[in-house]
Amino acid sequence: MATVSDAPKASFRLSMLIYDTRYRSITIQVVVLLLFMAGAAWLVDNTVRNLAALGKDFSFGFLWNRAGYDINQMLVQYSNDSTHGRAMLIGLLNTLLVAFMSCVAATVLGVIIGVLRLSPNWIIGRLTTVYVEMFRNIPVLLWILVAYAVFTEVLPAPNAFRGDNPTASMILFDSVALTNRYTAIPDPMFARSLGNIDVGLFLVSLDLVAIIAVITGSVLVNRKILASATAVQNATGVRPVTWWKSILVLVAPVVLLLLALGFHAERPVLRGFNFTGGLDVSNSLMALWLGLTLYTAAFIAEIVRAGIGAVSRGQTEAAFALGLRPNRTMSLVILPQALRVIVPPLISQYLNITKNSSLAIAVGYMDLRGTLGGITLNQTGRELECVLLMMLIYLTISLLISGAMNVYNNSVKLKER
């Protein structure tokens, strides 16, 4: 009986790396990687040689040297005897502060403007259109400078609040003073404070930690209440009333904790030539926050309008046919579907806010660009190290924001069943 043996396997040849489609893509990727590494090595070697020719080395030891300059706005303790590394930390915290404030305010304002742009009211629709076109077509730097000019040139001096017949008065129940030097606001105080804990770089308020823990717990409990109500609704068709439970769970624990801690607000009081007590917020921070907020809100408004417009008109008509009112239709039907269109471009706007915060140097706000990339760079002459550090920090912040928003986007996108 005749037998047929297996066909002999072809031996590997170097020409297969190019002519064989099984290996060609791998060959190209390896070649590109080697060229990239060679280019990077040449760039690093060239940089080191140029630094050596200038009598410099590549070192970050300057971060432990005395800074010797003051910072007008800081969230943690700092003095001119602190190191450049701590000055960098202050600048980073200031950057995160203005970015967070601007993201929150621009989102709230942008959503309101975006919804109002769809209003059938002619005046409201045109006013919101004028707002969007005016703010998004003028560079954000100009808006920051305009806001700073308003704060420094239009607002009264602190001594205008003095005397029996002052020419200026405080607002919001005599708790906030807008001056041409700073904005004085109430300072949250705790009569029975839990104290602080030292984590090395700065002190962490245990009062703040307790408040965050209580709020987090309240939100988790409220989510369980809503999930239980949804389960009952799916089983019976009738959704139980939960609004009073949500209010009780979300508000009562925080209020009780604040009462236990003896929370009160210390109002600013004019003594001499300045306000004492309370918190003094620099006008540079206010101008930067206002400029970034108004500018970015115009883009967010268009994103929200486009997201709502992407939802089929039939969804609205079906909701009306079921008896839902316009506000309930918007909150329960339109916005949940529009979020899958709104969130991705919204991530880009948050990243833009963070990067545009580097324009703070124009109004003297000491953010990361003003500290590490400004005074520290000029004092130490370590321009390469400072610029690399700033690039790394901004890249890290942007990746963290992008990652967090992508997680949120995955949580709100439509789930296929």
Side-chain angles (χ1 to χ4, degrees):
M1 184 175 63
T3 59
V4 179
S5 59
D6 295 337
K9 294 183 180 179
S11 60
F12 179 78
R13 301 185 302 277
L14 290 178
S15 59
M16 296 173 65
L17 294 176
I18 299 177
Y19 297 108
D20 194 325
T21 56
R22 294 176 297 175
Y23 305 111
R24 184 183 301 159
S25 60
I26 299 176
T27 303
I28 294 175
Q29 292 179 51
V30 170
V31 170
V32 171
L33 178 62
L34 292 175
L35 290 175
F36 174 78
M37 294 176 64
W42 174 83
L43 184 61
V44 172
D45 180 71
N46 190 48
T47 303
V48 172
R49 289 175 181 273
N50 288 330
L51 288 175
L54 295 173
K56 294 183 177 179
D57 58 348
F58 186 79
S59 171
F60 292 98
F62 68 93
L63 293 176
W64 282 263
N65 297 337
R66 179 177 178 271
Y69 61 88
D70 296 320
I71 299 177
N72 54 5
Q73 185 79 46
M74 48 192 178
L75 296 178
V76 298
Q77 189 176 7
Y78 171 84
S79 70
N80 54 18
D81 290 327
S82 301
T83 63
H84 285 293
R86 191 163 187 84
M88 179 185 68
L89 174 64
I90 301 297
L92 173 61
L93 293 177
N94 285 347
T95 294
L96 295 177
L97 173 65
V98 72
F100 175 77
M101 292 170 55
S102 300
C103 285
V104 173
T107 302
V108 174
L109 183 61
V111 170
I112 294 174
I113 298 295
V115 173
L116 290 180
R117 281 207 72 183
L118 300 171
S119 172
N121 188 297
W122 187 88
I123 295 178
I124 294 177
R126 294 302 178 275
L127 286 177
T128 52
T129 300
V130 169
Y131 171 86
V132 170
E133 298 301 332
M134 183 174 66
F135 277 95
R136 75 173 179 176
N137 289 307
I138 296 177
V140 62
L141 177 60
L142 296 182
W143 287 118
I144 295 172
L145 293 176
V146 168
Y148 188 70
V150 170
F151 274 98
T152 56
E153 301 295 335
V154 176
L155 295 180
N159 59 15
F161 295 82
R162 186 175 52 189
D164 296 331
N165 296 311
T167 57
S169 58
M170 302 175 68
I171 61 175
L172 298 179
F173 307 102
D174 290 338
S175 61
V176 177
L178 299 173
T179 75
N180 61 354
R181 296 167 59 184
Y182 51 80
T183 299
I185 62 175
D187 185 9
M189 305 290 290
F190 298 95
R192 295 177 288 276
S193 175
L194 299 176
N196 302 317
I197 182 172
D198 191 355
V199 296
L201 291 177
F202 47 79
L203 300 176
V204 176
S205 171
L206 293 178
D207 305 321
L208 181 60
V209 173
I211 292 173
I212 293 175
V214 169
I215 291 177
T216 303
S218 300
V219 171
L220 293 177
V221 172
N222 184 56
R223 290 184 63 178
K224 287 188 175 296
I225 293 175
L226 295 179
S228 176
T230 302
V232 172
Q233 183 181 13
N234 293 334
T236 64
V238 179
R239 187 176 183 84
V241 178
T242 59
W243 62 267
W244 64 272
K245 296 179 181 178
S246 297
I247 294 177
L248 186 64
V249 168
L250 293 174
V251 176
V254 178
V255 172
L256 291 176
L257 177 61
L258 293 177
L259 291 175
L261 294 176
F263 172 79
H264 63 280
E266 184 184 13
R267 294 187 177 192
V269 179
L270 182 64
R271 289 191 177 91
F273 296 98
N274 283 303
F275 283 92
T276 59
L279 290 176
D280 294 339
V281 182
S282 67
N283 282 340
S284 57
L285 171 59
M286 297 296 294
L288 181 64
W289 169 67
L290 192 61
L292 291 176
T293 297
L294 296 177
Y295 177 78
T296 310
F299 290 90
I300 294 179
E302 285 300 275
I303 293 172
V304 172
R305 185 175 69 91
I308 294 175
V311 179
S312 170
R313 177 69 181 173
Q315 298 284 330
T316 305
E317 295 173 349
F320 289 163
L322 292 174
L324 291 178
R325 295 180 178 179
N327 58 343
R328 301 287 290 175
T329 300
M330 180 61 70
S331 61
L332 297 178
V333 178
I334 305 301
L335 279 181
Q337 298 184 73
L339 279 177
R340 71 181 192 274
V341 180
I342 292 174
V343 172
L346 196 62
I347 299 174
S348 298
Q349 295 305 316
Y350 288 166
L351 298 180
N352 287 337
I353 286 179
T354 305
K355 291 178 289 186
N356 287 336
S357 66
S358 61
L359 295 172
I361 193 71
V363 291
Y365 180 64
M366 298 296 284
D367 69 334
L368 187 66
R369 171 68 179 85
T371 55
L372 180 64
I375 300 178
T376 295
L377 187 151
N378 292 328
Q379 284 188 357
T380 61
R382 296 286 183 175
E383 60 279 353
L384 181 60
E385 293 89 340
C386 291
V387 171
L388 286 178
L389 271 178
M390 282 195 298
M391 293 173 65
L392 180 62
I393 291 173
Y394 277 116
L395 176 63
T396 303
I397 295 174
S398 297
L399 291 178
L400 289 176
I401 294 174
S402 181
M405 290 301 296
N406 282 330
V407 171
Y408 176 71
N409 187 34
N410 290 331
S411 68
V412 299
K413 73 178 182 181
L414 294 178
K415 309 287 191 308
E416 295 184 1
R417 299 179 179 176

